Amino acid sequence: MVNPIKIIDLSSGISFGSINSERFKTNRISINFVTPLKRETVTVNALVSQLLKRGYNGCDNFTMLNRELQELYGAYLSSNVSKRGDTQILSLSITGLDDSFALDDTAITKNLSKILVNLAFNQKVTSGGFKEENFEIEKNALSELIKSEINDKMLYSVNQAMRAMCKDEPYGLPKYGYAEDLKDITPEIAFKQFEEIIKTSRIIIMFVGCGNDSDAVSVFRDAVSKLERNFNVIASSSVFVSKGELNEVEEKMSVNQCKLVLGFETGVNTSSDMLPAMKMACGVLGASPTSKLFVNVREKLSLCYYCATHFDVSKGILLVHSGVEAENMDKARAEIINQLNDVKSNNFTDKEIKDALMTYTNSYNSICESDSALDGYYLIKILDNKMESPEDEIKKLEAVTREDILKASQSIKLDTVYSLSGQEETN
Amino acid sequence: MERTVIRNENLGEEYYQYKHKSGLTIYLYPMKKFSSSYAVFGTKYGSIDTTFKTDKENEFVTVPEGIAHFLEHKLFESEDGSAFELFAKTGASANAFTAFDRTCYLFSTTSNFEESLKALVTFVQNPYFTKENVEKEQGIIGQEIRMYEDEPEWRVMFNLLGCLYHNNPVKIDIAGTKESIAKIDDKLLYKCYNAFYNLNNMVIAVSGNFDEERAIGIIEENLKEVEKVEVTSIVPDEPDEIVQKEYVQKLGVATPLFSIGYKEKPLTGKEGLKTRLCYSLIFNAVMGNGSDFYRELYKDGLITTSSFGYQVFDGRGFLTNMISGESQKSKLVMARIVDEFERVKETGIDEETFNRVKKKVYGGKIIGANDVESTALSLIDAHFYDNEYFEEFEILRNITLDDVNRVLRSSFNKDRVAISIVNPA
């Protein structure tokens, strides 16, 4: 059983969301700073996110911090940078055993709240900047992280396609920013930006676990009462609009398998009533092993190991991505378009609709089975100010008719074709 | 069926073990506070089982590499279509994986558990291999192999295993090669299926929110009557020594990746479990993120904290203590690691560090068992290691500093360590 979410407004633009469930043996606390995604700040924000998890005033280095976490039964600290529409979200989260599972009487959860508050609001400052000791190392580390995106060709190709589509808008920025920006960032610049984030960003704190959240609430309430805030309301993300001309992007790299990504404009994002219908259309096309893409492109034609859809609801962009042999690129592309045309021309069965619905139902219901999934789901709901539970989402999908799917599918238009293929051998 | 209740007072949880007359073991772990359930049907058959015979045969046979994985793909096909169709009806999310020493079929669901369980038990017992459907799969798996050829983490690991193992098939990619899978046909698949998918060689684990009696009823009703088969798989003799110190490959990466491995003796049963836990404690103490050594590597710019990690990489018949990451100076990282292990062997791990990392590993085990999926998979894991699932928590509580230092001094041999590096192309 998962109890309904409880939301407390701690201060202007600062919310505390709490979900209690005795199914977990843990408590997870996260703090999320939601800021506009901008070319000028994308890199420095990512760097700030890396720096925060290294220590705080009174716990000078990460060795001390990690030892502190180990003493708290291996509590797990992580930082994350993500993009959601036209915003960049910096998250710090801590997960630890509930006090009841400690082998002694350690107050794990209260201590974890204090550590998180210290990391977020009590950083050590030397001459107006983040302390310099490890600043260069962290810059190098972020630079390596940015560059290592190419290691995962599947993810890289999807990101490249998305960037090609959104090259003139914020969503086209990479979430960790640009390696070349790093050289100009000083400890002072980074700290100034951090102060700006604390002052102006939308801040959402989440608590998910079996324990009592009252200590966490009071620790955070106390901390945010001291903040000087000038909070900027986050505007909802704009839907992607195609320029009308087909954009073909070809990239060469040392690879064995080619990657093919088709990017479509759908015209439907979180602010549209058509969203459930569009989700269902994408589902019929490629959300499960019984969907059109899997059954036809993989199973019937045996062109690939994977061929799947990814629907970005914040921008209303549909991506279809696959890994294929060079000589099969055109064949795969044609077949993907064929399958989409089948959806558009009402050539899909009631069973395909039902399968898509069942797939979504299972995945929405599964959100409540994991603390991190609950955290992520409700973070977005609080941000969008749409307090719908996973069950509400399922109900909306259940109400979608064949006609709705057909109507939604008509607005899906090919915008970009991205391919990644091997370099010709020169020697 | 014979039913045993297995309970752990510290966690306040229990599960049930059933022994079916066919030899099949069944574990049911109710987790009533959750809404979903998860079931796994596994066989003790993985990519390393390429040479085998059953008690009905006289001669050992050697089959092409990658056949266990190929079989896993093909089992999803039946005379009436794809097994995915069965799960589409129930809404369950079904999948499968082939590892070095096992193949598992599984589903996760938040509704229609009973029909999904029936579907799982049924499709795994009903192979349907034809010449045509085998040929069709060669294209799909061919692309899966190609995909892995471009995954630097995967390549760096297999190149390391190639440095460490002379004969053990663990060094061969689980999916095989384009050439080896070309040799697979329907007859060979049936041969492997009939040997390894005998219930006597299999296990079922179910966790989550389900009715115990109904679950066991469904399993029992849908088990086919089969003659018991004993299968013997030969893993070739493996010397203690490694093959070579180093292997370097070029791929499309930005920063070089490394994987360093110490070849160790594989162990099973209680002693094996205890030793693996000691390895885990040693890693945490020596190079965990709270250690001085880790901090030095970081400060010297030798590793990045987002990529550095270690694991006890093991399975039936092999064990490697593995350290991986990204570095511009991989060989220097290895030299520093080797020196550090030699140094700590001399001094021993101290009491304070030991107590701290023990708390961490203990908490980590419970945090890791925080959901339905990992519970079922851990039951399967324990089964294939001849352990009981809760044993791990109890052994860990009772491990002493002496145990850990003894294991440390008898392993991490500097003559049995190798490095694999993937450099930018």
Side-chain angles (χ1 to χ4, degrees):
Chain A
M1 177 63 195
V2 175
N3 294 313
I5 183 165
K6 211 171 62 183
I7 300 168
I8 306 168
D9 287 322
L10 295 181
S11 170
S12 111
I14 305 182
S15 312
F16 189 106
S18 175
I19 301 155
N20 179 271
S21 176
E22 55 177 18
R23 64 175 46 155
F24 303 117
K25 299 184 178 82
T26 52
N27 299 297
R28 175 191 168 98
I29 315 166
S30 71
I31 181 160
N32 308 274
F33 300 95
V34 186
T35 69
L37 188 55
K38 286 186 195 156
R39 179 67 188 85
E40 309 84 82
T41 52
V42 64
T43 313
V44 63
N45 286 350
L47 180 63
V48 165
S49 161
Q50 300 289 315
L51 290 164
L52 293 184
K53 66 176 176 194
R54 296 302 183 201
Y56 54 85
N57 198 1
C59 179
D60 279 357
N61 61 53
F62 73 76
T63 307
M64 281 170 72
L65 174 63
N66 288 328
R67 285 181 187 174
E68 204 175 336
L69 294 168
Q70 289 175 350
E71 289 290 354
L72 295 168
Y73 291 89
Y76 181 73
L77 169 71
S78 71
S79 74
N80 187 40
V81 178
S82 57
K83 288 193 298 178
R84 158 85 182 171
D86 302 332
T87 64
Q88 185 183 22
I89 306 178
L90 316 181
S91 307
L92 271 177
S93 67
I94 256 182
T95 306
L97 276 192
D98 186 57
D99 299 7
S100 59
F101 290 95
L103 298 170
D104 50 20
D105 55 2
T106 312
I108 302 174
T109 311
K110 188 172 186 176
N111 279 309
L112 293 184
S113 308
K114 285 185 183 164
I115 291 175
L116 199 55
V117 158
N118 278 324
L119 294 172
F121 303 120
N122 186 21
Q123 281 292 321
K124 186 166 182 172
V125 190
T126 35
S127 43
F130 278 103
K131 71 184 175 80
E132 284 205 41
E133 191 192 357
N134 302 322
F135 196 77
E136 287 305 313
I137 299 175
E138 290 297 336
K139 275 178 28 174
N140 283 335
L142 180 58
S143 167
E144 300 286 349
L145 186 63
I146 291 169
K147 291 181 202 155
S148 68
E149 189 195 16
I150 62 164
N151 290 6
D152 183 341
K153 305 292 184 292
M154 190 196 289
L155 188 62
Y156 174 74
S157 59
V158 163
N159 288 344
Q160 283 290 82
M162 194 65 99
R163 288 194 277 261
M165 289 178 84
C166 301
K167 59 180 178 294
D168 299 325
E169 48 182 313
Y171 202 59
L173 298 168
K175 66 175 181 175
Y176 293 120
Y178 298 86
E180 63 266 27
D181 291 1
L182 286 162
K183 63 179 188 311
D184 296 329
I185 301 175
T186 61
E188 294 72 34
I189 292 175
F191 193 76
K192 206 162 161 259
Q193 175 61 15
F194 175 51
E195 287 183 312
E196 185 67 17
I197 291 169
I198 290 182
K199 195 174 189 178
T200 61
S201 68
R202 175 88 170 93
I203 301 177
I204 298 170
I205 300 141
M206 297 291 297
F207 183 101
V208 185
C210 62
N212 191 322
D213 63 2
S214 56
D215 283 336
V217 173
S218 70
V219 168
F220 276 96
R221 193 191 292 279
D222 186 45
V224 304
S225 70
K226 296 167 193 151
L227 300 180
E228 196 189 312
R229 290 275 290 167
N230 184 13
F231 156 63
N232 294 337
V233 177
I234 300 276
S236 59
S237 293
S238 60
V239 67
F240 170 79
V241 180
S242 175
K243 289 182 190 62
E245 270 171 40
L246 183 62
N247 183 15
E248 303 233 15
V249 183
E250 288 176 19
E251 191 171 348
K252 301 274 180 195
M253 205 186 272
S254 163
V255 291
N256 292 297
Q257 184 184 56
C258 299
K259 302 289 182 193
L260 174 67
V261 188
L262 305 190
F264 300 89
E265 169 192 32
T266 71
V268 172
N269 75 348
T270 35
S271 55
S272 165
D273 295 339
M274 293 279 281
L275 186 64
M278 190 57 82
K279 278 187 192 163
M280 288 297 291
C282 296
V284 168
L285 181 64
S288 77
T290 54
S291 66
K292 287 187 174 296
L293 293 179
F294 190 94
V295 168
N296 293 289
V297 187
R298 172 174 145 142
E299 294 293 309
K300 282 208 182 120
L301 297 179
S302 64
L303 288 174
C304 59
Y305 173 63
Y306 70 92
C307 183
T309 52
H310 167 75
F311 180 38
D312 187 311
V313 295
S314 67
K315 294 304 290 181
I317 289 174
L318 167 67
L319 298 180
V320 174
H321 63 121
S322 184
V324 292
E325 280 304 312
E327 67 262 28
N328 289 331
M329 292 281 262
D330 292 343
K331 211 169 160 189
R333 176 175 169 174
E335 188 58 23
I336 292 166
I337 299 292
N338 256 344
Q339 294 306 318
L340 174 63
N341 286 339
D342 272 356
V343 179
K344 288 183 171 187
S345 51
N346 204 9
N347 195 5
F348 52 97
T349 62
D350 288 344
K351 188 189 152 298
E352 284 171 321
I353 303 177
K354 194 165 170 247
D355 285 359
L357 179 63
M358 293 287 252
T359 300
Y360 285 128
T361 302
N362 194 42
S363 54
Y364 275 118
N365 279 328
S366 301
I367 289 170
C368 301
E369 304 290 293
S370 139
D371 56 354
S372 57
L374 276 167
D375 181 340
Y377 176 85
Y378 278 108
L379 169 67
I380 298 302
K381 289 295 166 193
I382 294 175
L383 189 56
D384 289 351
N385 202 17
K386 280 191 181 153
M387 287 323 297
E388 298 151 314
S389 67
E391 274 178 30
D392 298 331
E393 298 271 10
I394 294 167
K395 283 193 193 115
K396 283 197 287 182
L397 293 174
E398 282 170 346
V400 172
T401 63
R402 167 180 289 274
E403 289 67 37
D404 297 336
I405 297 173
L406 195 55
K407 191 175 161 208
S409 69
Q410 302 310 312
S411 65
I412 303 177
K413 291 186 190 76
L414 185 63
D415 174 81
T416 293
V417 178
Y418 168 87
S419 67
L420 177 68
S421 52
Q423 281 151 338
E424 299 291 324
E425 292 289 333
T426 47
N427 48 350
Chain B
M1 266 193 278
E2 182 194 323
R3 174 181 184 268
T4 317
V5 181
I6 299 156
R7 189 168 167 77
N8 184 290
E9 293 303 333
N10 290 310
L11 295 175
E13 294 192 1
E14 65 183 30
Y15 68 94
Y16 316 107
Q17 178 184 327
Y18 289 81
K19 204 77 200 166
H20 187 256
K21 61 176 192 283
S22 61
L24 176 75
T25 310
I26 302 156
Y27 300 100
L28 302 182
Y29 196 128
M31 299 167 82
K32 298 284 185 201
K33 290 169 187 165
F34 284 82
S35 316
S36 68
S37 37
Y38 194 93
V40 188
F41 198 169
T43 168
K44 192 174 176 178
Y45 173 47
S47 65
I48 59 172
D49 298 301
T50 49
T51 302
F52 61 89
K53 77 174 204 66
T54 67
D55 55 353
K56 317 277 185 273
E57 296 158 336
N58 297 322
E59 299 287 318
F60 278 93
V61 58
T62 299
V63 292
E65 287 148 357
I67 195 165
H69 171 260
F70 203 104
L71 202 167
E72 173 229 300
H73 270 238
K74 282 328 302 168
L75 209 47
F76 276 91
E77 204 153 326
S78 75
E79 213 163 346
D80 316 317
S82 154
F84 286 120
E85 294 292 345
L86 300 171
F87 293 102
K89 281 186 199 134
T90 70
S93 161
N95 213 333
F97 64 86
T98 306
F100 296 106
D101 60 358
R102 72 194 70 172
T103 310
C104 293
Y105 301 82
L106 51 94
F107 72 83
S108 150
T109 192
T110 49
S111 61
N112 304 314
F113 165 74
E114 292 173 15
E115 294 98 288
S116 308
L117 182 61
K118 185 180 170 189
L120 176 71
V121 175
T122 315
F123 98 81
V124 173
Q125 293 181 93
N126 285 288
Y128 177 66
F129 310 135
T130 64
K131 192 169 173 289
E132 294 71 33
N133 75 22
V134 167
E135 276 169 15
K136 188 205 75 182
E137 205 66 25
Q138 268 148 355
I140 298 171
I141 296 178
Q143 284 314 306
E144 189 178 2
I145 293 171
R146 296 287 267 172
M147 182 176 86
Y148 280 109
E149 284 171 0
D150 285 327
E151 282 192 12
E153 279 103 2
W154 191 250
R155 288 311 327 150
V156 79
M157 181 181 83
F158 275 97
N159 292 343
L160 173 68
L161 295 171
C163 291
L164 296 175
Y165 292 94
H166 294 262
N167 308 319
N168 194 309
V170 69
K171 66 181 177 175
I172 311 289
D173 197 318
I174 290 170
T177 60
K178 230 171 175 166
E179 293 72 40
S180 73
I181 64 165
K183 295 180 204 144
I184 294 171
D185 62 21
D186 48 332
K187 288 186 195 67
L188 274 177
L189 288 176
Y190 275 114
K191 185 162 189 68
C192 295
Y193 184 87
N194 292 331
F196 290 103
Y197 283 70
N198 185 271
L199 292 173
N200 188 37
N201 196 45
M202 300 182 80
V203 56
I204 293 178
V206 187
S207 59
N209 196 339
F210 62 91
D211 182 286
E212 187 197 344
E213 273 183 34
R214 301 284 291 270
I216 204 71
I218 288 164
I219 294 170
E220 215 169 2
E221 278 163 31
N222 291 286
L223 290 178
K224 281 188 173 175
E225 280 284 340
V226 283
E227 198 186 345
K228 217 178 205 174
V229 173
E230 295 277 352
V231 61
T232 313
S233 173
I234 304 184
V235 176
D237 280 342
E238 180 63 40
D240 291 341
E241 288 71 38
I242 63 171
V243 181
Q244 63 195 66
K245 276 278 184 198
E246 183 184 314
Y247 188 93
V248 182
Q249 185 188 352
K250 285 187 174 179
L251 271 179
V253 297
T255 307
L257 282 82
F258 69 84
S259 195
I260 296 165
Y262 283 92
K263 186 177 183 179
E264 312 283 1
K265 279 221 171 302
L267 292 161
T268 55
K270 241 185 183 144
E271 206 44 43
L273 177 56
K274 188 171 170 179
T275 307
R276 290 197 298 277
L277 287 168
C278 285
Y279 286 143
S280 177
L281 292 164
I282 292 166
F283 268 137
N284 276 286
V286 175
M287 56 186 67
N289 61 15
S291 68
D292 293 329
F293 179 64
Y294 177 83
R295 182 167 173 73
E296 284 159 19
L297 290 179
Y298 162 84
K299 289 196 75 156
D300 294 344
L302 289 177
I303 56 163
T304 64
T305 56
S306 58
S307 66
F308 186 79
Y310 42 78
Q311 62 166 323
V312 184
F313 172 88
D314 71 325
R316 180 164 27 97
F318 60 90
L319 196 153
T320 292
N321 280 316
M322 208 180 269
I323 305 123
S324 315
E326 288 178 16
S327 177
Q328 299 289 356
K329 295 175 184 164
S330 304
K331 287 185 197 172
L332 186 54
V333 174
M334 166 142 134
R336 296 276 287 265
I337 286 174
V338 170
D339 285 351
E340 181 63 7
F341 273 117
E342 291 305 305
R343 190 190 68 79
V344 185
K345 278 185 193 179
E346 293 270 320
T347 62
I349 291 165
D350 65 87
E351 183 105 37
E352 191 197 327
T353 304
F354 169 73
N355 288 332
R356 177 164 47 76
V357 298
K358 188 171 159 179
K359 268 188 175 180
K360 185 214 158 184
V361 173
Y362 183 78
K365 292 281 173 204
I366 299 180
I367 293 172
N370 206 23
D371 62 77
V372 169
E373 174 177 345
S374 46
T375 303
L377 290 173
S378 301
L379 286 165
I380 296 277
D381 216 35
H383 175 84
F384 284 134
Y385 279 112
D386 296 326
N387 292 128
E388 182 278 299
Y389 171 62
F390 290 136
E391 252 178 353
E392 188 170 35
F393 298 97
E394 294 317 303
I395 291 178
L396 186 54
R397 284 163 75 99
N398 295 315
I399 278 181
T400 64
L401 177 58
D402 281 349
D403 291 332
V404 168
N405 278 325
R406 204 182 53 246
V407 169
L408 170 65
R409 290 184 175 118
S410 64
S411 50
F412 295 96
N413 184 329
K414 66 178 180 345
D415 298 325
R416 292 181 199 146
V417 61
I419 185 167
S420 144
I421 299 169
V422 167
N423 276 327

